[in-house]
Amino acid sequence: MKQIMDYLHQKVPRAGRSFPAYYHRALSTSVVGMVIYYLAVCVMLFAAGRRVEWVVLLMAAGMLGCRYSLGRVNVRLSFYAFEALIVFWVGWHTQHVGWDYGAQHLLIPMLTFCFFNIYEPPAVKLATFFGVLAYRTVLFAYAQHIPTGYVMSPTMTVAYQTLNTLAVFNTLGICYVTFSSSIQESERQLLLNNQELHKEAGTDALTQLPNRRALLEVVSRFRTEQPTAAFSIAIADIDFFKRINDTYGHNCGDYTLQTLAALFRDFSQGRYTVCRWGGEEFCFFMPGMNIDEAGAVMQDLNFAVKKMPLHYGDIDFSIRITIGVEENDFRSSMEELFDQADRKLYMGKANGRDQVVV
């Protein structure tokens, strides 16, 4: 019952002229298939009764009208016309040809189009379903008390039943292939978009490094999956970065951050994950390293930064960084580990900068 109530409370878009392309494509192809079907029915009924059934030709003309209006008038109107023609055809066919030839099964693809119509409210879809169910039940009961309109040979009977079966399964096949492929493509695109949004949400726009949130997720996941594994973290800060901004401008400051981030990526060689922690601070996560190993890596990195030439316009300059390193002690929380690394960083700042504090 809850599922039914949830379905009934689904919101639908406001109806308009613009239907999804996949729905338009499926309906258009099915309508063309029905035109071919009616022409084939006309030939078979003529062969069986030796007279032209103008109703069948009018049905084919009606379907052609649906196909014409799909591209020029309104998809929703064409859908309603398609439904009306199918309902009329099933009733006429039951009365004049008979129940046993299977034309009533065309109500199934008609219902499929109804339920995939995104502009129809759920209540209307359910009402249509129960209406079609009642219609089919009444037709079946009615068909038991009326004579068959056509007397067909066994060969013609098999051929005609096969034609109706092909019409039903052809229309269903068009619906299922078109709708399922479209849904799969939509889900794939949605997944890719979500992945891209997740990536953007975890990426620093200026340096293209992971941001603080992304690194915290990496560390948290590592601690959860490998609770007994060693790791170290380090926080680095550019010495006197404010002077660069004040002396050469913020564009030069941005250039400095981008160049330094590129050095950090190149120097990594898979040994650590680096993020922009905030402002001119960067944070490093070094899985599997104790504090001595992490300190050695940071010493090498500090030396690489000293040697890194910076050229902005006609300005040549260099920078220095101070780094605080802390090892996982398997007791402290993540916040406490990062706070301790931060304290070591500012200890290095207070003791002259341009150093690694372990």
Side-chain angles (χ1 to χ4, degrees):
M1 180 60 69
K2 182 180 182 301
Q3 291 179 331
I4 295 176
M5 295 306 297
D6 289 343
Y7 177 76
L8 287 173
H9 286 92
Q10 286 181 357
K11 293 183 178 181
V12 298
R14 180 180 297 179
R17 294 173 61 90
S18 178
F19 264 65
Y22 67 86
Y23 192 91
H24 185 285
R25 186 166 59 251
L27 186 58
S28 176
T29 307
S30 297
V31 165
V32 172
M34 290 303 297
V35 172
I36 298 172
Y37 162 74
Y38 286 127
L39 294 178
V41 167
C42 189
V43 172
M44 286 195 171
L45 293 184
F46 176 78
R50 298 297 176 184
R51 66 179 186 273
V52 175
E53 286 291 359
W54 293 104
V55 170
V56 185
L57 291 178
L58 289 175
M59 292 294 297
M63 286 293 175
L64 283 174
C66 285
R67 177 64 185 84
Y68 177 84
S69 67
L70 271 170
R72 294 168 177 79
V73 183
N74 187 285
V75 176
R76 203 176 193 204
L77 181 62
S78 300
F79 162 69
Y80 290 145
F82 175 79
E83 276 195 323
L85 288 170
I86 293 295
V87 169
F88 175 81
W89 168 249
V90 170
W92 183 92
H93 189 277
T94 300
Q95 181 175 3
H96 293 86
V97 182
W99 179 266
D100 296 334
Y101 294 100
Q104 68 275 7
H105 299 311
L106 287 168
L107 294 171
I108 300 174
M110 185 200 78
L111 277 177
T112 302
F113 276 107
C114 175
F115 274 88
F116 276 93
N117 183 344
I118 64 172
Y119 293 121
E120 290 297 339
V124 172
K125 294 178 181 179
L126 286 179
T128 303
F129 169 78
F130 287 112
V132 169
L133 178 62
Y135 179 63
R136 188 184 185 282
T137 303
V138 170
L139 278 180
F140 175 74
Y142 175 69
Q144 309 309 307
H145 301 90
I146 58 174
T148 301
Y150 286 82
V151 179
M152 298 187 184
S153 67
T155 302
M156 184 64 72
T157 297
V158 171
Y160 191 59
Q161 289 174 337
T162 302
L163 174 64
N164 279 314
T165 300
L166 288 175
V168 172
F169 276 83
N170 175 67
T171 308
L172 282 175
I174 291 170
C175 292
Y176 295 158
V177 170
T178 305
F179 294 150
S180 64
S181 62
S182 175
I183 291 172
Q184 290 169 2
E185 174 60 22
S186 297
E187 289 181 345
R188 186 188 71 84
Q189 193 60 48
L190 181 61
L191 179 61
L192 291 175
N193 290 342
N194 286 339
Q195 290 174 344
E196 187 64 28
L197 287 173
H198 183 75
K199 179 181 177 183
E200 290 178 2
T203 302
D204 176 64
L206 179 63
T207 63
Q208 295 304 301
L209 291 176
N211 58 20
R212 178 188 293 220
R213 169 186 161 187
L215 185 77
L216 290 174
E217 288 179 357
V218 171
V219 178
S220 177
R221 185 165 57 250
F222 181 85
R223 296 188 76 182
T224 301
E225 295 174 354
Q226 304 182 54
T228 61
F231 70 85
S232 294
I233 58 173
I235 299 179
D237 183 88
I238 303 175
D239 296 335
F240 303 112
F241 182 71
K242 187 174 184 297
R243 289 184 185 176
I244 298 174
N245 283 328
D246 292 344
T247 305
Y248 305 123
H250 288 280
N251 288 338
C252 182
D254 290 346
Y255 160 78
T256 302
L257 292 171
Q258 291 169 334
T259 307
L260 188 59
L263 172 67
F264 289 160
R265 278 194 297 266
D266 295 340
F267 191 80
S268 165
Q269 298 178 349
R271 294 175 295 179
Y272 58 72
T273 299
V274 58
C275 82
R276 186 180 180 191
W277 196 241
E280 66 271 23
E281 288 188 341
F282 297 83
C283 187
F284 301 82
F285 168 61
M286 293 163 278
M289 293 189 192
N290 59 35
I291 197 165
D292 293 329
E293 295 167 327
V297 171
M298 291 296 104
Q299 288 285 7
D300 292 341
L301 181 60
N302 189 35
F303 183 68
V305 171
K306 292 178 185 180
K307 296 196 310 179
M308 180 181 66
L310 292 166
H311 309 285
Y312 184 75
D314 57 355
I315 305 167
D316 294 331
F317 63 101
S318 62
I319 59 173
R320 301 290 184 267
I321 61 174
T322 302
I323 307 174
V325 185
E326 181 62 26
E327 179 184 0
N328 179 29
D329 59 9
F330 301 100
R331 297 186 306 273
S332 303
S333 66
M334 283 176 53
E335 292 78 7
E336 290 170 338
L337 292 174
F338 284 106
D339 285 344
Q340 184 60 27
D342 201 46
R343 281 194 291 269
K344 289 183 177 181
L345 165 65
Y346 281 96
M347 188 186 304
K349 290 279 191 182
N351 291 330
R353 296 181 168 84
D354 185 20
Q355 57 187 280
V356 177
V357 181
V358 295

